[in-house]
Amino acid sequence: MTDKPADERKRRAARRRAAQRQRKAGGLNWRSWEPWVLITIVVAIVAVIVTLIVTTNSNKNNLSSPEAQIDPGRFSSDSYGLAHRRNDGLSIGDLDAPVVLIDYGDLRCPYCAKWMEQVEPELVDKYVRTGKLRIEFRNMVLFDQPSLLGARAVIAAAQQGKGYALMQKIYSTMPHKGHGEITVPLVRKWAEELQLKDIDHFMKDAQSTKFDAQIAEGKQEAHSMGFQSVPAFLINGYPVLGARETQTYIDIIESALLALDK
């Protein structure tokens, strides 16, 4: 009767001696490896190859939202003639930036304030500071007299080069629910905090009807694009309604940049 344990010990000893001879010879004898070792190595190699392929494709087009693959024909470098591209105190970014984001908002809109707090800073860091994006603000007054006062104040501050800064400051005081307050004393307080050069002149303009035609033009412009609520955006002519996730805007900007190369 065959002693099976003894035979198995002999086979293992033979494999060890073979492996030792192979190591002394300076090479590897894969034929002597256990099957599970070979399977593990093959799986690891396949995983590395798949990772490299995915990474390469991601570097080419790192987009994830439904807007990731927009038809290049949907874009217009001047947003169909609506991009101002001028130093009006209501914009940030290079005049000749390849992508223009037009932001239509009411200064008492909680979702506009949320966008300004959570989305705009990342777009500024990633695209405005690198010369790829320009952001232009347009007043779209929807919420009565306090919103109109805010719109007038922002344009009045723009005459002293600080319209965009005042817009940011007003939004920073707005709640994420409901509509915050914009009053004459608050407008003066914000102007003082921004250190406007001529606050008296600013306050006079902010309480006048001097800029009402410009404010109405912004609202009419938004309506011409089909926007009836805020926030609303045009990114090289591509419309976006509502405060979306940051990645949505990144995807559209990247798609707009890609469209310029086609």
Side-chain angles (χ1 to χ4, degrees), residues 78-79 81-84 101-107 109 111-112 115-116 135-142 167 171 215-235 237-243:
D78 65 348
S79 289
L82 298 179
H84 288 172
L101 183 154
I102 302 176
D103 168 17
Y104 298 94
D106 183 298
L107 292 163
C109 163
Y111 299 106
C112 300
W115 185 88
M116 186 59 59
I135 300 177
E136 299 183 354
F137 176 72
R138 303 280 199 278
N139 283 294
M140 186 177 173
V141 176
L142 297 179
M167 177 265 293
Y171 274 143
I215 294 169
E217 182 182 334
K219 188 172 184 178
Q220 182 179 1
E221 181 181 299
H223 287 173
S224 73
M225 297 304 300
F227 297 141
Q228 300 295 328
S229 61
V230 290
F233 309 89
L234 280 181
I235 303 176
Y238 187 86
V240 183
L241 185 60

Side-chain angles (χ1 to χ4, degrees), residues 186-203:
L186 282 174
V187 167
R188 174 175 283 276
K189 173 178 177 290
W190 295 328
E192 291 172 348
E193 290 173 351
L194 290 174
Q195 298 182 340
L196 265 63
K197 294 180 180 178
D198 191 338
I199 291 181
D200 289 338
H201 184 73
F202 160 78
M203 291 302 300

Side-chain angles (χ1 to χ4, degrees), residues 155-222:
I155 299 177
Q159 310 311 302
Q160 300 184 40
K162 293 194 175 182
Y164 198 92
L166 179 57
M167 177 265 293
Q168 289 178 309
K169 180 168 282 294
I170 294 175
Y171 274 143
S172 72
T173 71
M174 293 296 116
H176 286 179
K177 291 183 179 180
H179 306 301
E181 289 299 318
I182 299 177
T183 63
V184 171
L186 282 174
V187 167
R188 174 175 283 276
K189 173 178 177 290
W190 295 328
E192 291 172 348
E193 290 173 351
L194 290 174
Q195 298 182 340
L196 265 63
K197 294 180 180 178
D198 191 338
I199 291 181
D200 289 338
H201 184 73
F202 160 78
M203 291 302 300
K204 180 180 177 181
D205 283 350
Q207 297 176 81
S208 74
T209 60
K210 182 177 181 179
F211 305 115
D212 284 7
Q214 182 178 340
I215 294 169
E217 182 182 334
K219 188 172 184 178
Q220 182 179 1
E221 181 181 299

